[in-house]
Amino acid sequence: MNFSEVFKLSSLLCKFSPDGKYLASCVQYRLIIRDVNNLQILQLYTCLDQIQYTEWSSDSLFILCAMYKRGIVQVWSLEQPDWHCKIDEGSAGLVASCWSPDGRHILNTTEFYLRITVWSLCTKSVSYIKYPKACQHGIAFTKDGRYMALAERRDCKDYISLFVCSDWQLLRHFDTETQDLSGIEWAPNGCVLAVWDTCLEYKILLYSLDGRLLSTYSAYEWSLGIKSVAWSPSSQFLAIGSYDEKVRILNHVTWKKITEFEHPVTIANPKIIVYKETEKSARVETESLAFPPARAQASSLFSTKSKYDISQVPVTLQSVKPVTDRANPRIGIGMLAFSPDNCFLATKNDNIPNAIWIWDVQKLKLFVVLEQLYAIQLFQWDPRQPRLAICTGNSKVYLWSPAGCVSVQVPMEDDLQVLSLCWHSSGDSMALLSKDNFCMCYLEREEVK
Amino acid sequence: MGDWKTITVPALSSASKISYQNTSEKKMSPSSLNMQQVLRSPLPLYKSMHSFSSAFCTEENVEQSISYLNRELTTLGFPSLYSECKDKELNVVSVLNCLNELLVLQRKNLRAQEEVEIQHLKLGSDMDHLQNCYAKVKEQLEASRREIVGLQERDRQQQCKNRNLHQLLKNEKDEVQKLQNIIASRATQYNHDMKRKEREYNKLKERLHQLVMNKKDKKIAMDVLNYVGRVDGKRGAWRTGKTEARNEEEMYKVLLGGYEQRQKQLLVENAELKKVLQQMKREMISLLPPQKQKPKERAEDGIGPVLSDMEEDAVELNKENMWELSCETVREQLTNSIRKQWRMLKNHVEKLDNQVSRAHSGALNGSDVISREDHELETEKLELEIQQCKEMIKTQQQLLQDCYLLEERERLQEEWKLFREQKKNFERERRSFTEAAIRLGLERKAFEEDRGTWLKQQFLSMTSDHKNSEHVKTQSAYSGSSDPDNQLMNFRSRQKKPHCLPSVPPSEEFCQTIQHIPHNSNSSVVLNKTTEDSKPKQWKGLNKAETEKCIKTSVTEDF
């Protein structure tokens, strides 16, 4: 593994271009485009205010920078650095901004979710979509970019509108039987839309592309419901993580539950491998210390190395008792992700914040549990192979693959507290982001086996 | 004869004390009180007789006793003691007869008494036994009664507990239901409140929207340098009905594509499952015994005409290609037939299980003990055999070892003998060789001396003939000095040829004189020949022959 040097970053805004050639990073109000391989600065753009969001267009030719406070979106072109485009929402305000799949339209969500404005970069037309739903995943595009599903709310009822992205024609408009729609997501094959309700009610609805209700699933009543949802890459399974610390898998043929995965505190099955991260402090040889000590030496002297040990079952994991009188308690399955080859499912139970559970999808059984020393911040699958990268907020990055797992110290002078990470689309490298910096990590094919 | 009854006759009261000791009473009706007295063994006869005879009849009252006896006997049915003709005379015959009768009677009575006593004993022991049994059974009854009471008590307690638990469960369920109702009511209340707030919020949003729109904010605009081309390069199309229809079409195409794919997968899955089911059916049929199938089928279905139709259909549909149809009837047929086969197989297996278990248990019960004993005997026998075999093996091994040792020793001895013989032979040979060598040496010496003398003679004879011998130089043969003396050369060369002894010339001078190298020849061999040829004439005839002879003789002398 090779690490690049550290570069400045703000707001964890670091994105790879969809074609994998460029890396965009934001430092306050500047947008820096680098080449992925040698990290040389190719372009430097200056925006009007601190950038709060940035996104590449699907063809990697344009990049937008949204500044919510000012209500401005600026679009930059890579081919023509002189080209500029500024979209000012003015008093309408700006809450969210995103590209359309064709890379030529920008959808701005105004403040209070008053409306969504569709600005076109090709024509002079502007479209408005009224009554968008004020929820986090209110807009969903199909994988092939043809259709867009938008959650709306009118007269205290939820609706879904399906648009054709090519000409923004409203294809279907139907109401959903939800109390308070909390999220929508397309299946990767683009034929089924999953719509789930607020966490006060466990309900997930499956609609087909033409707006018919295919199935409803509700596991239980009254207790807090769905926390996270993930489709498998083949659209065969729908994994639903809920507040009762279980993941339920629905199959695409009958839309019935085929199994549920529990996340208990004690693991007793001897067939499950439990990797526990343990610290081993480096021995300090007092004779070879130079005075004054060099900076690099100093940091490496006191940095603690860690490695993975295989714990013997039965293993009891560290669990956190949630505060019951607060809203949005830290219990339940907060993170769910399928591996790109559809073989593994990685989950995190917020009750047990230090552990990642990896399930074998073929056998529908628990495969591996990774127990870290600190709470998991983020994990992400390699886009090409079943390899999971994990960061826990310390200066290490962890990689797991079916062959084993490894803990890698980021060799920087000052400790880089890895808060987030981002894989390159080829799976050969990833960007490790901390609060103020980021660095690139290049993975060799033979190393992590 | 036994016991005499003590007659409660006042006359005999004096003797009753004594007789009481000796006799045992015999009553008409057996009573338990006298059982102990019955058990006392009857004393021998003569004792009682003695005591009795003194008590009953004395010399004075003979007549009275006779008359008394007669009275008694006649009342008992015996003939009179007195003779027929005279009254006071004793009929001895009749007396004896009476005595005999009485004896016989006595014996009979005794036997009867014995029998009765035995029976009495038996009955007594039976009674004891029965009483013991009765006591035991009573005890058991008591114990079981107590147990029952205890169990009933426990049962009652358990039922109480059960009722309590049921009650608790009901309470809990009620509470749960109540809580759920509470939650439901609260949820509706919250929803209602939420809706109210949302409506208010929507109103605010509308108002805000109006304000925003009305303001005609010039700022809400897009400022772009130039418009960018579309991704696919074409120009944007107007939104018409056609495009709408096209969009709908596309959407349906996408959906249909997805469905078709799924249907294909499901078809494949179905085909595989059908294949598996058919295979299972075939295997099940093969497992079951064939004769049981037909009658069972008929018995199980039991509906005549309908059955035959179904069977015919089944037969028809049994053809493999018919299974490809995925219609309802085919599926039902397949599942029904498999269910039938499975039931039959299950019954068959259950029957076999029963048989096996019965056989197993039967075998175990009967031959359990025996088999174990047999097993033990067998094991003992086998152990003995093993011991014997081991011992045999040991002895045989020892014998073999001894054999081998003996063989080895014999071989060794033979070899030693051979070795010693050979050694002796070698010694002899060595000695003979050494002797021969010594002899050889001596002979050689002698020969050399002879040769020397002979040569001297020759030389002397030669020098007497020729006075040219002074020309002969005293140079060695190797220096290549010329020597006119060919003959001697010839001789020397010839001498060299026949015997290969290392030629140690006895005298140097002599050799030198002999050997001469003429001018005209190069090699010694050629020289020999040429010298032989060149000057053979003078000496050929005489000296050659002589020398040859001499040589031959000397040579032959040596060897």
Side-chain angles (χ1 to χ4, degrees):
Chain A
M1 274 170 101
N2 294 326
F3 289 89
S4 73
E5 46 175 60
V6 175
F7 302 102
K8 276 212 176 296
L9 186 77
S10 66
S11 316
L12 298 177
L13 287 170
C14 180
K15 299 253 171 88
F16 286 103
S17 67
D19 62 358
K21 287 192 215 161
Y22 311 109
L23 174 67
S25 60
C26 300
V27 182
Q28 300 295 333
Y29 54 90
R30 284 207 194 90
L31 176 72
I32 303 166
I33 311 286
R34 291 171 198 272
D35 180 85
V36 158
N37 294 319
N38 50 24
L39 292 176
Q40 269 184 353
I41 298 179
L42 296 172
Q43 303 281 5
L44 179 68
Y45 303 107
T46 310
C47 296
L48 296 166
D49 195 12
Q50 181 164 19
I51 303 169
Q52 264 133 3
Y53 180 70
T54 174
E55 190 179 328
W56 284 94
S57 70
S58 56
D59 54 2
S60 305
L61 290 174
F62 298 98
I63 184 161
L64 73 76
C65 300
M67 289 137 272
Y68 298 141
K69 278 189 224 156
R70 288 275 295 267
I72 295 172
V73 174
Q74 279 185 281
V75 188
W76 304 101
S77 159
L78 257 73
E79 284 179 321
Q80 296 173 290
D82 303 327
W83 188 88
H84 65 268
C85 171
K86 185 180 78 167
I87 300 169
D88 193 344
E89 288 289 343
S91 40
L94 191 65
V95 175
S97 178
C98 66
W99 282 101
S100 73
D102 65 356
R104 295 290 178 271
H105 295 85
I106 292 176
L107 287 91
N108 282 347
T109 311
T110 58
E111 217 162 352
F112 305 117
Y113 289 86
L114 275 180
R115 63 165 189 254
I116 292 180
T117 324
V118 184
W119 298 93
S120 164
L121 292 175
C122 326
T123 67
K124 290 187 188 165
S125 62
V126 180
S127 310
Y128 295 101
I129 303 173
K130 280 190 85 175
Y131 314 113
K133 173 88 194 196
C135 63
Q136 261 217 325
H137 305 284
I139 304 175
F141 293 103
T142 57
K143 202 161 157 191
D144 53 8
R146 269 204 240 181
Y147 303 103
M148 176 181 94
L150 177 73
E152 296 174 8
R153 192 164 175 100
R154 264 177 244 245
D155 301 325
C156 310
K157 274 181 84 171
D158 293 319
Y159 296 89
I160 301 273
S161 293
L162 295 176
F163 292 95
V164 181
C165 290
S166 52
D167 54 7
W168 300 109
Q169 182 215 330
L170 177 69
L171 194 65
R172 285 286 187 277
H173 181 80
F174 50 92
D175 67 333
T176 63
E177 295 161 15
T178 52
Q179 292 273 4
D180 185 10
L181 200 155
S182 151
I184 57 176
E185 194 169 329
W186 283 104
N189 64 4
C191 294
V192 181
L193 180 70
V195 174
W196 62 94
D197 208 341
T198 172
C199 61
L200 286 173
E201 184 157 341
Y202 193 128
K203 198 188 227 175
I204 185 159
L205 298 142
L206 293 140
Y207 290 94
S208 94
L209 180 58
D210 57 346
R212 290 174 299 121
L213 174 67
L214 292 173
S215 173
T216 314
Y217 177 70
S218 171
Y220 50 80
E221 276 194 307
W222 305 128
S223 295
L224 290 177
I226 300 173
K227 195 164 185 185
S228 54
V229 171
W231 282 98
S232 77
S234 61
S235 313
Q236 276 176 309
F237 304 113
L238 179 61
I240 306 169
S242 48
Y243 280 89
D244 66 344
E245 304 178 51
K246 287 192 199 164
V247 173
R248 290 174 178 81
I249 309 273
L250 306 186
N251 76 90
H252 72 305
V253 179
T254 59
W255 300 115
K256 296 240 184 324
K257 175 186 88 167
I258 50 174
T259 182
E260 57 183 45
F261 294 147
E262 284 190 18
H263 295 74
V265 173
T266 311
I267 301 160
N269 189 344
K271 286 190 194 166
I272 297 165
I273 311 167
V274 180
Y275 291 103
K276 193 180 159 79
E277 187 197 358
T278 51
E279 266 190 14
K280 44 173 192 182
S281 51
R283 275 182 283 119
V284 177
E285 293 174 352
T286 44
E287 290 105 35
S288 61
L289 276 178
F291 190 77
R295 262 189 104 194
Q297 208 183 18
S299 61
S300 64
L301 273 177
F302 296 107
S303 68
T304 48
K305 289 198 187 278
S306 79
K307 62 180 175 73
Y308 279 105
D309 278 332
I310 297 183
S311 311
Q312 291 290 331
V313 282
V315 171
T316 306
L317 300 164
Q318 246 186 326
S319 79
V320 170
K321 209 157 190 288
V323 185
T324 42
D325 57 351
R326 289 257 186 94
N328 297 325
R330 285 186 180 228
I331 52 173
I333 311 299
M335 282 192 225
L336 271 183
F338 276 94
S339 70
D341 61 350
N342 208 10
C343 284
F344 300 105
L345 171 67
T347 65
K348 178 190 154 197
N349 183 0
D350 291 335
N351 275 39
I352 307 168
N354 292 13
I356 295 182
W357 309 65
I358 298 176
W359 306 81
D360 185 337
V361 174
Q362 278 180 323
K363 296 182 199 155
L364 291 175
K365 279 199 297 189
L366 181 59
F367 185 46
V368 164
V369 175
L370 296 167
E371 193 183 355
Q372 308 292 130
L373 287 168
Y374 302 101
I376 312 280
Q377 298 287 330
L378 186 78
F379 60 78
Q380 212 178 56
W381 286 101
D382 180 334
R384 291 288 172 90
Q385 47 179 300
R387 192 161 58 170
L388 189 66
I390 304 153
C391 61
T392 63
N394 57 1
S395 59
K396 297 185 186 65
V397 67
Y398 307 91
L399 285 155
W400 176 87
S401 77
C405 54
V406 70
S407 142
V408 184
Q409 167 82 24
V410 179
M412 298 300 157
E413 281 186 3
D414 304 314
D415 275 340
L416 183 82
Q417 306 286 340
V418 181
L419 291 174
S420 172
L421 54 87
C422 181
W423 280 97
H424 186 258
S425 55
S426 69
D428 285 334
S429 55
M430 60 179 167
L432 304 171
L433 319 178
S434 80
K435 198 164 78 110
D436 299 316
N437 303 302
F438 81 98
C439 78
M440 280 286 287
C441 167
Y442 296 95
L443 299 157
E444 284 161 20
R445 290 214 173 256
E446 294 80 37
E447 250 194 69
V448 187
K449 282 261 160 98
Chain B
M1 290 282 265
D3 306 308
W4 291 87
K5 208 157 113 182
T6 53
I7 309 156
T8 49
V9 172
L12 300 165
S13 60
S14 55
S16 64
K17 216 191 350 178
I18 306 163
S19 63
Y20 232 67
Q21 285 172 358
N22 299 326
T23 61
S24 56
E25 280 187 20
K26 196 160 75 168
K27 291 258 172 93
M28 287 305 190
S29 58
S31 78
S32 58
L33 294 163
N34 293 323
M35 263 206 291
Q36 290 158 358
Q37 291 170 348
V38 167
L39 288 173
R40 258 185 260 146
S41 56
L43 284 167
L45 189 65
Y46 29 89
K47 237 189 190 173
S48 56
M49 230 167 64
H50 281 292
S51 57
F52 207 85
S53 55
S54 59
F56 177 61
C57 183
T58 54
E59 285 175 11
E60 293 94 42
N61 57 354
V62 172
E63 294 266 347
Q64 284 159 344
S65 45
I66 289 172
S67 66
Y68 170 72
L69 279 172
N70 184 44
R71 242 199 342 269
E72 291 292 323
L73 286 169
T74 46
T75 48
L76 284 171
F78 285 100
S80 169
L81 287 176
Y82 293 119
S83 55
E84 290 151 6
C85 36
K86 277 192 182 173
D87 202 14
K88 290 283 177 157
E89 228 180 276
L90 259 179
N91 191 351
V92 179
V93 172
S94 73
V95 166
L96 290 170
N97 282 337
C98 285
L99 268 174
N100 189 38
E101 288 274 342
L102 284 168
L103 278 170
V104 166
L105 198 64
Q106 174 74 344
R107 270 193 220 117
K108 243 202 292 179
N109 287 338
L110 276 174
R111 251 183 275 137
Q113 195 185 17
E114 268 180 36
E115 276 172 24
V116 170
E117 273 175 9
I118 288 167
Q119 233 189 359
H120 222 138
L121 280 171
K122 271 197 209 158
L123 286 171
S125 66
D126 279 345
M127 280 279 280
D128 276 343
H129 179 68
L130 282 171
Q131 274 194 343
N132 287 339
C133 286
Y134 172 70
K136 265 191 237 162
V137 166
K138 235 172 129 174
E139 269 176 41
Q140 278 179 1
L141 182 68
E142 280 299 317
S144 50
R145 278 216 189 103
R146 262 178 271 140
E147 218 179 293
I148 284 171
V149 168
L151 286 171
Q152 274 178 347
E153 180 62 34
R154 218 190 315 159
D155 183 43
R156 197 182 56 82
Q157 282 175 358
Q158 296 284 11
Q159 289 217 350
C160 266
K161 240 193 263 179
N162 195 19
R163 253 179 279 133
N164 289 345
L165 287 171
H166 270 293
Q167 194 61 38
L168 279 171
L169 181 67
K170 210 162 83 95
N171 292 346
E172 291 294 322
K173 275 196 190 157
D174 286 339
E175 211 177 303
V176 164
Q177 194 58 43
K178 230 193 321 170
L179 284 170
Q180 281 190 339
N181 290 340
I182 289 172
I183 291 172
S185 66
R186 282 181 89 101
T188 45
Q189 185 65 36
Y190 285 139
N191 284 342
H192 176 77
D193 278 344
M194 276 284 286
K195 284 213 177 101
R196 198 156 46 88
K197 292 224 161 67
E198 205 178 324
R199 273 187 219 113
E200 223 178 284
Y201 172 64
N202 281 343
K203 271 193 225 156
L204 278 169
K205 265 193 356 189
E206 286 292 320
R207 191 89 180 87
L208 185 64
H209 197 230
Q210 276 173 18
L211 283 171
V212 165
M213 291 308 276
N214 285 344
K215 244 188 174 178
K216 298 262 185 193
D217 209 337
K218 288 226 173 106
K219 277 207 247 169
I220 301 174
M222 182 164 79
D223 169 31
V224 66
L225 187 66
N226 56 284
Y227 284 106
V228 185
R230 283 166 63 89
V231 183
D232 47 5
K234 292 188 217 158
R235 290 215 203 137
W238 290 108
R239 217 188 287 174
T240 57
K242 235 199 244 175
T243 54
E244 283 182 24
R246 205 173 358 108
N247 284 332
E248 289 266 338
E249 228 183 85
E250 295 235 353
M251 176 190 79
Y252 282 123
K253 264 193 216 162
V254 167
L255 271 177
L256 280 172
Y259 282 129
E260 267 174 22
Q261 210 191 19
R262 217 201 296 168
Q263 205 212 7
K264 262 189 235 161
Q265 283 176 1
L266 287 171
L267 274 174
V268 166
E269 215 180 293
N270 260 356
E272 276 190 34
L273 287 171
K274 267 194 207 155
K275 252 192 258 168
V276 167
L277 281 174
Q278 279 184 44
Q279 205 187 5
M280 262 175 60
K281 194 177 106 172
R282 258 182 263 136
E283 281 177 16
M284 277 199 279
I285 291 172
S286 68
L287 274 177
L288 286 169
Q291 65 270 9
K292 288 194 185 170
Q293 271 192 349
K294 297 268 169 76
K296 275 230 168 179
E297 272 187 37
R298 299 208 188 275
E300 276 178 6
D301 292 334
I303 308 167
V306 181
L307 167 70
S308 56
D309 282 342
M310 268 172 62
E311 281 198 2
E312 279 176 16
D313 289 340
V315 165
E316 273 184 29
L317 288 170
N318 265 337
K319 297 176 195 166
E320 281 201 12
N321 48 6
M322 284 296 182
W323 291 119
E324 296 299 313
L325 294 171
S326 56
C327 59
E328 188 78 10
T329 45
V330 167
R331 187 172 51 84
E332 273 184 28
Q333 282 291 330
L334 180 59
T335 48
N336 286 341
S337 61
I338 285 192
R339 280 209 198 99
K340 227 191 298 177
Q341 296 295 335
W342 179 247
R343 243 183 289 145
M344 287 201 275
L345 188 69
K346 223 177 27 166
N347 292 338
H348 187 63
V349 168
E350 276 170 10
K351 241 192 288 170
L352 285 173
D353 266 342
N354 286 340
Q355 277 180 17
V356 166
S357 63
R358 250 184 281 129
H360 195 60
S361 58
L364 272 178
N365 284 338
S367 61
D368 195 11
V369 180
I370 298 167
S371 68
R372 217 184 292 143
E373 284 181 1
D374 277 346
H375 183 70
E376 282 175 9
L377 282 167
E378 285 272 347
T379 47
E380 279 178 21
K381 258 193 267 168
L382 286 168
E383 276 174 16
L384 274 169
E385 271 189 52
I386 288 168
Q387 284 249 333
Q388 286 171 0
C389 290
K390 275 192 196 161
E391 280 166 19
M392 258 190 358
I393 289 167
K394 263 190 232 166
T395 49
Q396 281 181 0
Q397 271 183 347
Q398 281 183 359
L399 286 170
L400 276 170
Q401 277 185 357
D402 292 340
C403 255
Y404 284 140
L405 282 171
L406 282 168
E407 275 186 32
E408 288 272 341
R409 213 183 294 160
E410 279 173 26
R411 246 189 291 131
L412 267 174
Q413 282 178 355
E414 281 179 20
E415 281 183 8
W416 265 110
K417 265 190 237 162
L418 271 169
F419 177 63
R420 273 191 224 115
E421 279 180 26
Q422 280 180 359
K423 208 170 153 189
K424 275 187 216 159
N425 289 339
F426 282 139
E427 288 282 318
R428 249 189 283 133
E429 280 180 19
R430 197 164 45 128
R431 256 183 267 131
S432 61
F433 279 138
T434 48
E435 281 171 16
I438 293 166
R439 251 189 288 129
L440 248 175
L442 289 168
E443 280 177 6
R444 206 197 311 156
K445 240 201 245 169
F447 171 70
E448 290 290 332
E449 282 172 10
D450 281 343
R451 200 179 65 177
T453 48
W454 186 81
L455 282 167
K456 236 196 241 171
Q457 280 176 14
Q458 277 281 342
F459 185 62
L460 284 167
S461 63
M462 268 180 2
T463 46
S464 61
D465 290 341
H466 297 275
K467 287 172 188 169
N468 297 335
S469 61
E470 286 161 10
H471 285 284
V472 175
K473 289 170 190 167
T474 57
Q475 283 178 4
S476 68
Y478 300 108
S479 60
S481 58
S482 57
D483 212 340
D485 216 0
N486 299 322
Q487 173 213 333
L488 290 167
M489 245 298 288
N490 288 340
F491 173 70
R492 188 76 185 135
S493 64
R494 280 224 188 120
Q495 200 184 26
K496 272 187 185 167
K497 278 178 204 167
H499 54 90
C500 27
L501 278 173
S503 52
V504 182
S507 58
E508 259 196 349
E509 281 184 8
F510 202 57
C511 283
Q512 283 166 11
T513 54
I514 293 167
Q515 293 171 359
H516 75 280
I517 300 161
H519 298 283
N520 48 357
S521 61
N522 298 322
S523 63
S524 53
V525 177
V526 177
L527 178 69
N528 292 339
K529 286 199 180 154
T530 49
T531 49
E532 255 189 319
D533 294 334
S534 57
K535 293 176 185 177
K537 284 137 193 176
Q538 285 184 10
W539 310 101
K540 213 185 201 178
L542 230 158
N543 291 336
K544 228 190 195 178
E546 272 188 16
T547 54
E548 278 184 329
K549 267 192 220 159
C550 278
I551 290 162
K552 273 181 192 163
T553 51
S554 65
V555 169
T556 49
E557 266 183 30
D558 276 346
F559 298 99

